[in-house]
Amino acid sequence: NIHGIRGVVADTRVVKISVIGVPDRPGVAAALFVPLGQARIKTDMIVQNISHEGLSDISFVVAQDEAQEALAIIQEKARSLGAVEVQFDPEIARISIVGGGIASHPEIAGEMFAALASVGINLEMISTSEIKISCIVRQEHAQKALQILHDRFELGKGDAIEN
Amino acid sequence: NIHGIRGVVADTRVVKISVIGVPDRPGVAAALFVPLGQARIKTDMIVQNISHEGLSDISFVVAQDEAQEALAIIQEKARSLGAVEVQFDPEIARISIVGGGIASHPEIAGEMFAALASVGINLEMISTSEIKISCIVRQEHAQKALQILHDRFELGKGDAIEN
Ligand SMILES: C[C@@H](O)[C@H](N)C(=O)O
Ligand SMILES: C[C@@H](O)[C@H](N)C(=O)O
């Protein structure tokens, strides 16, 4: 396979929760995630970009079977923080490329984004590290996303997994 | 140490580039990151949250010595995409907790955020995976951040590193 990528994974049994317009000041992220941790809820792909006019959005992904509990906790905390709103989106898929090659192959991110764009898939959230590139897309695109990435990165049969 | 965390790292020789208000449609992320990959520029911590009114922000971190070249590429691409603006921020530190324990210890994220908040550090960007939790903070807080996380997670001397 190309670039030493170990595989591509599509997770469809996850949901996205976004807290919109929270104050960008110390303690806000803690206020949201300490209670989730205390409830033993596993959060993944926590994403927060830079703020605008003192307000930030914080999103994260949770497993479907923890979603209701996570949402209840978040809605209460968001209210006390004065958040603009909480969005709950179950119709997502998380598409991830994993592999040690990412750090040493700076072209992988762009190639993954271009591959998904080539079949018309919009990237709704992005989060990357040296060993993993993850994108949130509409759940209906999961199969198509796996296929194009499998083809583009010349992966073997066992390397493109849908969960 | 607590939770099987392997260490905490502060990277201060990095800069943040943010492309503000790009269209949230297929191909935009590719337009920005394919040229960076072709220039062999290593991007880390690409972060994109959900869009508002059809527009998104995309941020990423690059090493100081690749920053000028990355910025030049991004500014040209951002212009052709009709981005609202490009922000360049060199006064940052990336604070990361690394360890296999993160996936199985859902309390780590909240505890990290709370520890940093307890010493007044604002979290400007957040990006997480099962093996790494990264926050962008003001560069001036790097030492303080390392110290509080080292103390809170009871890490040994060699486990809190400033780069
Ligand atoms: C928005 C949120 O991350 C806030 N900046 C905090 O530090 O908690
Ligand atoms: C904003 C950008 O990520 C866009 N949604 C794309 O798919 O390229």
Side-chain angles (χ1 to χ4, degrees):
Chain A
N1 59 65
I2 294 181
H3 305 318
I5 289 172
R6 215 170 61 234
V8 57
V9 182
D11 286 297
T12 54
R13 291 188 226 144
V14 289
V15 311
K16 163 167 57 80
I17 295 174
S18 299
V19 188
I20 309 297
V22 288
D24 184 21
R25 62 160 192 257
V28 168
L32 295 169
F33 289 95
V34 165
L36 290 178
Q38 287 170 341
R40 316 289 308 150
I41 292 169
K42 287 188 176 67
T43 60
D44 192 30
M45 208 170 166
I46 301 173
V47 167
Q48 177 195 310
N49 208 337
I50 55 169
S51 60
H52 290 293
E53 289 141 20
L55 298 180
S56 261
D57 302 335
I58 307 180
S59 299
F60 61 95
V61 171
V62 286
Q64 272 171 2
D65 53 20
E66 297 196 297
Q68 280 308 323
E69 189 181 6
L71 184 62
I73 291 168
I74 285 295
Q75 279 171 333
E76 189 207 333
K77 289 301 169 188
R79 199 158 30 236
S80 64
L81 290 167
V84 170
E85 69 168 330
V86 173
Q87 293 180 5
F88 180 80
D89 187 353
E91 297 303 316
I92 61 159
R94 178 182 49 213
I95 310 299
S96 300
I97 280 184
V98 271
I102 291 173
S104 47
H105 290 102
E107 64 275 26
I108 293 176
E111 287 176 4
M112 176 185 185
F113 302 158
L116 295 169
S118 75
V119 291
I121 297 174
N122 191 48
L123 310 180
E124 303 178 5
M125 259 172 63
I126 300 171
S127 177
T128 75
S129 69
E130 302 103 321
I131 61 153
K132 193 180 199 183
I133 303 172
S134 289
C135 298
I136 298 296
V137 305
R138 277 304 90 191
Q139 204 172 80
E140 62 189 331
H141 298 323
Q143 257 310 316
K144 187 165 59 170
L146 270 186
Q147 191 61 54
I148 189 70
L149 293 176
H150 173 274
D151 296 348
R152 192 66 65 89
F153 291 104
E154 296 176 17
L155 299 172
K157 266 218 177 308
D159 298 331
I161 303 160
E162 180 163 357
N163 291 327
Chain B
N1 57 63
I2 294 181
H3 306 317
I5 289 172
R6 215 171 58 235
V8 56
V9 183
D11 286 298
T12 55
R13 291 187 226 145
V14 289
V15 312
K16 162 166 59 79
I17 295 175
S18 299
V19 189
I20 309 297
V22 287
D24 183 22
R25 61 159 193 261
V28 168
L32 294 169
F33 289 94
V34 165
L36 291 177
Q38 288 170 339
R40 315 290 309 153
I41 291 169
K42 287 189 174 68
T43 61
D44 191 30
M45 208 171 165
I46 301 173
V47 166
Q48 177 196 310
N49 208 336
I50 55 169
S51 60
H52 290 293
E53 290 140 18
L55 298 179
S56 262
D57 302 336
I58 306 180
S59 298
F60 62 95
V61 171
V62 287
Q64 272 170 0
D65 53 20
E66 297 195 297
Q68 280 308 324
E69 188 181 5
L71 184 62
I73 291 168
I74 285 294
Q75 279 171 331
E76 189 208 332
K77 290 301 169 187
R79 199 156 31 237
S80 65
L81 290 167
V84 170
E85 67 168 331
V86 173
Q87 294 179 4
F88 180 81
D89 187 353
E91 297 302 316
I92 62 159
R94 176 182 51 214
I95 309 298
S96 300
I97 280 184
V98 271
I102 291 173
S104 47
H105 291 102
E107 64 274 27
I108 292 177
E111 288 177 1
M112 177 186 184
F113 303 157
L116 295 170
S118 75
V119 291
I121 297 174
N122 191 46
L123 310 180
E124 303 179 5
M125 259 171 63
I126 300 171
S127 177
T128 74
S129 69
E130 303 103 320
I131 61 152
K132 194 179 197 183
I133 303 173
S134 289
C135 298
I136 299 296
V137 305
R138 277 304 90 191
Q139 203 170 79
E140 63 189 330
H141 298 323
Q143 258 310 317
K144 187 165 60 169
L146 271 185
Q147 191 62 54
I148 190 69
L149 293 176
H150 173 274
D151 295 348
R152 190 67 64 89
F153 292 104
E154 295 177 17
L155 298 173
K157 266 220 177 307
D159 299 330
I161 302 161
E162 179 162 359
N163 291 325

PDB file of all heavy atoms in Angstrom, chain B residues 120-145:
ATOM      1  N   GLY B 120      -5.538  29.020  35.412  1.00  0.00           N
ATOM      2  CA  GLY B 120      -5.953  30.144  34.582  1.00  0.00           C
ATOM      3  C   GLY B 120      -5.578  30.064  33.123  1.00  0.00           C
ATOM      4  O   GLY B 120      -5.612  31.078  32.412  1.00  0.00           O
ATOM      5  N   ILE B 121      -5.246  28.862  32.641  1.00  0.00           N
ATOM      6  CA  ILE B 121      -4.835  28.738  31.238  1.00  0.00           C
ATOM      7  C   ILE B 121      -6.055  28.503  30.345  1.00  0.00           C
ATOM      8  O   ILE B 121      -6.825  27.566  30.565  1.00  0.00           O
ATOM      9  CB  ILE B 121      -3.824  27.588  31.051  1.00  0.00           C
ATOM     10  CG1 ILE B 121      -2.541  27.894  31.835  1.00  0.00           C
ATOM     11  CG2 ILE B 121      -3.497  27.384  29.570  1.00  0.00           C
ATOM     12  CD1 ILE B 121      -1.525  26.760  31.832  1.00  0.00           C
ATOM     13  N   ASN B 122      -6.220  29.345  29.344  1.00  0.00           N
ATOM     14  CA  ASN B 122      -7.325  29.224  28.393  1.00  0.00           C
ATOM     15  C   ASN B 122      -6.965  28.231  27.288  1.00  0.00           C
ATOM     16  O   ASN B 122      -5.836  28.254  26.770  1.00  0.00           O
ATOM     17  CB  ASN B 122      -7.637  30.586  27.771  1.00  0.00           C
ATOM     18  CG  ASN B 122      -8.938  30.584  26.989  1.00  0.00           C
ATOM     19  OD1 ASN B 122      -9.959  30.077  27.458  1.00  0.00           O
ATOM     20  ND2 ASN B 122      -8.913  31.135  25.786  1.00  0.00           N
ATOM     21  N   LEU B 123      -7.887  27.378  26.934  1.00  0.00           N
ATOM     22  CA  LEU B 123      -7.672  26.396  25.871  1.00  0.00           C
ATOM     23  C   LEU B 123      -8.197  26.977  24.561  1.00  0.00           C
ATOM     24  O   LEU B 123      -9.403  27.175  24.398  1.00  0.00           O
ATOM     25  CB  LEU B 123      -8.384  25.090  26.214  1.00  0.00           C
ATOM     26  CG  LEU B 123      -8.093  24.570  27.627  1.00  0.00           C
ATOM     27  CD1 LEU B 123      -8.843  23.275  27.897  1.00  0.00           C
ATOM     28  CD2 LEU B 123      -6.606  24.389  27.859  1.00  0.00           C
ATOM     29  N   GLU B 124      -7.288  27.252  23.643  1.00  0.00           N
ATOM     30  CA  GLU B 124      -7.659  27.963  22.420  1.00  0.00           C
ATOM     31  C   GLU B 124      -8.058  27.020  21.299  1.00  0.00           C
ATOM     32  O   GLU B 124      -8.832  27.405  20.412  1.00  0.00           O
ATOM     33  CB  GLU B 124      -6.488  28.847  21.972  1.00  0.00           C
ATOM     34  CG  GLU B 124      -6.058  29.839  23.046  1.00  0.00           C
ATOM     35  CD  GLU B 124      -4.886  30.698  22.632  1.00  0.00           C
ATOM     36  OE1 GLU B 124      -4.434  30.614  21.479  1.00  0.00           O
ATOM     37  OE2 GLU B 124      -4.416  31.467  23.484  1.00  0.00           O
ATOM     38  N   MET B 125      -7.527  25.826  21.314  1.00  0.00           N
ATOM     39  CA  MET B 125      -7.894  24.787  20.352  1.00  0.00           C
ATOM     40  C   MET B 125      -7.763  23.467  21.077  1.00  0.00           C
ATOM     41  O   MET B 125      -6.926  23.319  21.976  1.00  0.00           O
ATOM     42  CB  MET B 125      -6.945  24.774  19.140  1.00  0.00           C
ATOM     43  CG  MET B 125      -7.497  25.457  17.905  1.00  0.00           C
ATOM     44  SD  MET B 125      -6.282  25.661  16.552  1.00  0.00           S
ATOM     45  CE  MET B 125      -5.882  23.945  16.125  1.00  0.00           C
ATOM     46  N   ILE B 126      -8.589  22.503  20.717  1.00  0.00           N
ATOM     47  CA  ILE B 126      -8.520  21.165  21.304  1.00  0.00           C
ATOM     48  C   ILE B 126      -8.668  20.146  20.196  1.00  0.00           C
ATOM     49  O   ILE B 126      -9.490  20.312  19.277  1.00  0.00           O
ATOM     50  CB  ILE B 126      -9.635  20.928  22.349  1.00  0.00           C
ATOM     51  CG1 ILE B 126      -9.539  21.934  23.499  1.00  0.00           C
ATOM     52  CG2 ILE B 126      -9.558  19.499  22.891  1.00  0.00           C
ATOM     53  CD1 ILE B 126     -10.743  21.897  24.453  1.00  0.00           C
ATOM     54  N   SER B 127      -7.875  19.068  20.291  1.00  0.00           N
ATOM     55  CA  SER B 127      -7.981  17.967  19.342  1.00  0.00           C
ATOM     56  C   SER B 127      -7.590  16.695  20.084  1.00  0.00           C
ATOM     57  O   SER B 127      -6.544  16.664  20.738  1.00  0.00           O
ATOM     58  CB  SER B 127      -7.021  18.212  18.168  1.00  0.00           C
ATOM     59  OG  SER B 127      -7.043  17.146  17.261  1.00  0.00           O
ATOM     60  N   THR B 128      -8.426  15.667  20.032  1.00  0.00           N
ATOM     61  CA  THR B 128      -8.120  14.454  20.795  1.00  0.00           C
ATOM     62  C   THR B 128      -8.273  13.197  19.952  1.00  0.00           C
ATOM     63  O   THR B 128      -9.026  13.164  18.974  1.00  0.00           O
ATOM     64  CB  THR B 128      -9.030  14.297  22.027  1.00  0.00           C
ATOM     65  OG1 THR B 128     -10.338  13.889  21.605  1.00  0.00           O
ATOM     66  CG2 THR B 128      -9.133  15.576  22.833  1.00  0.00           C
ATOM     67  N   SER B 129      -7.556  12.151  20.382  1.00  0.00           N
ATOM     68  CA  SER B 129      -7.730  10.810  19.826  1.00  0.00           C
ATOM     69  C   SER B 129      -7.557   9.844  20.984  1.00  0.00           C
ATOM     70  O   SER B 129      -7.351  10.272  22.125  1.00  0.00           O
ATOM     71  CB  SER B 129      -6.687  10.532  18.742  1.00  0.00           C
ATOM     72  OG  SER B 129      -5.405  10.417  19.320  1.00  0.00           O
ATOM     73  N   GLU B 130      -7.605   8.529  20.695  1.00  0.00           N
ATOM     74  CA  GLU B 130      -7.494   7.584  21.817  1.00  0.00           C
ATOM     75  C   GLU B 130      -6.109   7.577  22.452  1.00  0.00           C
ATOM     76  O   GLU B 130      -5.926   7.010  23.504  1.00  0.00           O
ATOM     77  CB  GLU B 130      -7.801   6.141  21.384  1.00  0.00           C
ATOM     78  CG  GLU B 130      -9.139   5.919  20.763  1.00  0.00           C
ATOM     79  CD  GLU B 130      -8.985   5.794  19.258  1.00  0.00           C
ATOM     80  OE1 GLU B 130      -8.178   6.559  18.668  1.00  0.00           O
ATOM     81  OE2 GLU B 130      -9.689   4.948  18.678  1.00  0.00           O
ATOM     82  N   ILE B 131      -5.116   8.115  21.785  1.00  0.00           N
ATOM     83  CA  ILE B 131      -3.798   8.049  22.396  1.00  0.00           C
ATOM     84  C   ILE B 131      -3.178   9.404  22.648  1.00  0.00           C
ATOM     85  O   ILE B 131      -2.044   9.500  23.128  1.00  0.00           O
ATOM     86  CB  ILE B 131      -2.809   7.218  21.548  1.00  0.00           C
ATOM     87  CG1 ILE B 131      -2.638   7.874  20.189  1.00  0.00           C
ATOM     88  CG2 ILE B 131      -3.258   5.778  21.399  1.00  0.00           C
ATOM     89  CD1 ILE B 131      -1.301   7.577  19.599  1.00  0.00           C
ATOM     90  N   LYS B 132      -3.908  10.481  22.340  1.00  0.00           N
ATOM     91  CA  LYS B 132      -3.315  11.802  22.512  1.00  0.00           C
ATOM     92  C   LYS B 132      -4.394  12.854  22.698  1.00  0.00           C
ATOM     93  O   LYS B 132      -5.397  12.866  21.984  1.00  0.00           O
ATOM     94  CB  LYS B 132      -2.495  12.150  21.260  1.00  0.00           C
ATOM     95  CG  LYS B 132      -1.560  13.321  21.420  1.00  0.00           C
ATOM     96  CD  LYS B 132      -0.797  13.524  20.109  1.00  0.00           C
ATOM     97  CE  LYS B 132       0.425  14.379  20.285  1.00  0.00           C
ATOM     98  NZ  LYS B 132       1.102  14.614  18.994  1.00  0.00           N
ATOM     99  N   ILE B 133      -4.172  13.744  23.682  1.00  0.00           N
ATOM    100  CA  ILE B 133      -5.057  14.888  23.883  1.00  0.00           C
ATOM    101  C   ILE B 133      -4.194  16.129  23.741  1.00  0.00           C
ATOM    102  O   ILE B 133      -3.236  16.305  24.493  1.00  0.00           O
ATOM    103  CB  ILE B 133      -5.695  14.870  25.284  1.00  0.00           C
ATOM    104  CG1 ILE B 133      -6.458  13.555  25.501  1.00  0.00           C
ATOM    105  CG2 ILE B 133      -6.628  16.061  25.470  1.00  0.00           C
ATOM    106  CD1 ILE B 133      -6.968  13.377  26.924  1.00  0.00           C
ATOM    107  N   SER B 134      -4.508  16.973  22.780  1.00  0.00           N
ATOM    108  CA  SER B 134      -3.691  18.162  22.531  1.00  0.00           C
ATOM    109  C   SER B 134      -4.512  19.425  22.684  1.00  0.00           C
ATOM    110  O   SER B 134      -5.661  19.492  22.224  1.00  0.00           O
ATOM    111  CB  SER B 134      -3.108  18.141  21.111  1.00  0.00           C
ATOM    112  OG  SER B 134      -2.114  17.153  20.979  1.00  0.00           O
ATOM    113  N   CYS B 135      -3.912  20.412  23.320  1.00  0.00           N
ATOM    114  CA  CYS B 135      -4.526  21.733  23.463  1.00  0.00           C
ATOM    115  C   CYS B 135      -3.539  22.789  22.996  1.00  0.00           C
ATOM    116  O   CYS B 135      -2.338  22.667  23.240  1.00  0.00           O
ATOM    117  CB  CYS B 135      -4.868  22.024  24.924  1.00  0.00           C
ATOM    118  SG  CYS B 135      -6.059  20.880  25.643  1.00  0.00           S
ATOM    119  N   ILE B 136      -4.044  23.828  22.359  1.00  0.00           N
ATOM    120  CA  ILE B 136      -3.235  24.998  22.032  1.00  0.00           C
ATOM    121  C   ILE B 136      -3.499  26.057  23.090  1.00  0.00           C
ATOM    122  O   ILE B 136      -4.650  26.373  23.402  1.00  0.00           O
ATOM    123  CB  ILE B 136      -3.584  25.550  20.633  1.00  0.00           C
ATOM    124  CG1 ILE B 136      -3.304  24.507  19.554  1.00  0.00           C
ATOM    125  CG2 ILE B 136      -2.802  26.842  20.355  1.00  0.00           C
ATOM    126  CD1 ILE B 136      -1.845  24.100  19.403  1.00  0.00           C
ATOM    127  N   VAL B 137      -2.399  26.577  23.666  1.00  0.00           N
ATOM    128  CA  VAL B 137      -2.478  27.626  24.686  1.00  0.00           C
ATOM    129  C   VAL B 137      -1.495  28.715  24.314  1.00  0.00           C
ATOM    130  O   VAL B 137      -0.683  28.556  23.396  1.00  0.00           O
ATOM    131  CB  VAL B 137      -2.161  27.068  26.091  1.00  0.00           C
ATOM    132  CG1 VAL B 137      -3.074  25.887  26.437  1.00  0.00           C
ATOM    133  CG2 VAL B 137      -0.690  26.659  26.212  1.00  0.00           C
ATOM    134  N   ARG B 138      -1.574  29.859  24.995  1.00  0.00           N
ATOM    135  CA  ARG B 138      -0.579  30.923  24.799  1.00  0.00           C
ATOM    136  C   ARG B 138       0.794  30.335  25.149  1.00  0.00           C
ATOM    137  O   ARG B 138       0.963  29.646  26.172  1.00  0.00           O
ATOM    138  CB  ARG B 138      -0.848  32.134  25.676  1.00  0.00           C
ATOM    139  CG  ARG B 138      -1.865  33.139  25.162  1.00  0.00           C
ATOM    140  CD  ARG B 138      -1.542  33.677  23.795  1.00  0.00           C
ATOM    141  NE  ARG B 138      -2.146  32.852  22.752  1.00  0.00           N
ATOM    142  CZ  ARG B 138      -1.870  32.960  21.459  1.00  0.00           C
ATOM    143  NH1 ARG B 138      -0.996  33.835  21.043  1.00  0.00           N
ATOM    144  NH2 ARG B 138      -2.462  32.179  20.592  1.00  0.00           N
ATOM    145  N   GLN B 139       1.778  30.688  24.341  1.00  0.00           N
ATOM    146  CA  GLN B 139       3.134  30.174  24.530  1.00  0.00           C
ATOM    147  C   GLN B 139       3.682  30.488  25.924  1.00  0.00           C
ATOM    148  O   GLN B 139       4.419  29.681  26.493  1.00  0.00           O
ATOM    149  CB  GLN B 139       4.052  30.783  23.472  1.00  0.00           C
ATOM    150  CG  GLN B 139       5.294  29.966  23.185  1.00  0.00           C
ATOM    151  CD  GLN B 139       6.036  30.497  21.965  1.00  0.00           C
ATOM    152  OE1 GLN B 139       6.758  31.482  22.053  1.00  0.00           O
ATOM    153  NE2 GLN B 139       5.830  29.839  20.843  1.00  0.00           N
ATOM    154  N   GLU B 140       3.297  31.651  26.460  1.00  0.00           N
ATOM    155  CA  GLU B 140       3.815  32.062  27.773  1.00  0.00           C
ATOM    156  C   GLU B 140       3.378  31.113  28.885  1.00  0.00           C
ATOM    157  O   GLU B 140       3.943  31.128  29.973  1.00  0.00           O
ATOM    158  CB  GLU B 140       3.346  33.483  28.091  1.00  0.00           C
ATOM    159  CG  GLU B 140       1.836  33.602  28.205  1.00  0.00           C
ATOM    160  CD  GLU B 140       1.343  35.031  28.311  1.00  0.00           C
ATOM    161  OE1 GLU B 140       2.085  35.859  28.843  1.00  0.00           O
ATOM    162  OE2 GLU B 140       0.219  35.300  27.849  1.00  0.00           O
ATOM    163  N   HIS B 141       2.350  30.283  28.634  1.00  0.00           N
ATOM    164  CA  HIS B 141       1.853  29.376  29.671  1.00  0.00           C
ATOM    165  C   HIS B 141       2.470  27.984  29.593  1.00  0.00           C
ATOM    166  O   HIS B 141       2.086  27.096  30.354  1.00  0.00           O
ATOM    167  CB  HIS B 141       0.327  29.228  29.553  1.00  0.00           C
ATOM    168  CG  HIS B 141      -0.438  30.497  29.760  1.00  0.00           C
ATOM    169  ND1 HIS B 141      -0.058  31.459  30.683  1.00  0.00           N
ATOM    170  CD2 HIS B 141      -1.558  30.974  29.171  1.00  0.00           C
ATOM    171  CE1 HIS B 141      -0.913  32.468  30.640  1.00  0.00           C
ATOM    172  NE2 HIS B 141      -1.832  32.202  29.729  1.00  0.00           N
ATOM    173  N   ALA B 142       3.393  27.745  28.652  1.00  0.00           N
ATOM    174  CA  ALA B 142       3.891  26.388  28.423  1.00  0.00           C
ATOM    175  C   ALA B 142       4.473  25.762  29.689  1.00  0.00           C
ATOM    176  O   ALA B 142       4.149  24.631  30.047  1.00  0.00           O
ATOM    177  CB  ALA B 142       4.932  26.387  27.300  1.00  0.00           C
ATOM    178  N   GLN B 143       5.342  26.495  30.364  1.00  0.00           N
ATOM    179  CA  GLN B 143       5.959  25.947  31.570  1.00  0.00           C
ATOM    180  C   GLN B 143       4.931  25.647  32.644  1.00  0.00           C
ATOM    181  O   GLN B 143       4.941  24.575  33.257  1.00  0.00           O
ATOM    182  CB  GLN B 143       6.986  26.943  32.140  1.00  0.00           C
ATOM    183  CG  GLN B 143       8.429  26.588  31.823  1.00  0.00           C
ATOM    184  CD  GLN B 143       8.746  25.141  32.159  1.00  0.00           C
ATOM    185  OE1 GLN B 143       8.357  24.620  33.203  1.00  0.00           O
ATOM    186  NE2 GLN B 143       9.454  24.480  31.265  1.00  0.00           N
ATOM    187  N   LYS B 144       4.041  26.585  32.874  1.00  0.00           N
ATOM    188  CA  LYS B 144       2.993  26.427  33.879  1.00  0.00           C
ATOM    189  C   LYS B 144       2.099  25.233  33.549  1.00  0.00           C
ATOM    190  O   LYS B 144       1.696  24.461  34.424  1.00  0.00           O
ATOM    191  CB  LYS B 144       2.182  27.730  33.940  1.00  0.00           C
ATOM    192  CG  LYS B 144       1.158  27.801  35.045  1.00  0.00           C
ATOM    193  CD  LYS B 144       0.657  29.231  35.275  1.00  0.00           C
ATOM    194  CE  LYS B 144      -0.008  29.828  34.050  1.00  0.00           C
ATOM    195  NZ  LYS B 144      -0.717  31.097  34.377  1.00  0.00           N
ATOM    196  N   ALA B 145       1.826  25.065  32.260  1.00  0.00           N
ATOM    197  CA  ALA B 145       0.981  23.946  31.817  1.00  0.00           C
ATOM    198  C   ALA B 145       1.673  22.610  32.098  1.00  0.00           C
ATOM    199  O   ALA B 145       1.067  21.679  32.642  1.00  0.00           O
ATOM    200  CB  ALA B 145       0.661  24.069  30.320  1.00  0.00           C
TER     201      ALA B 145
END
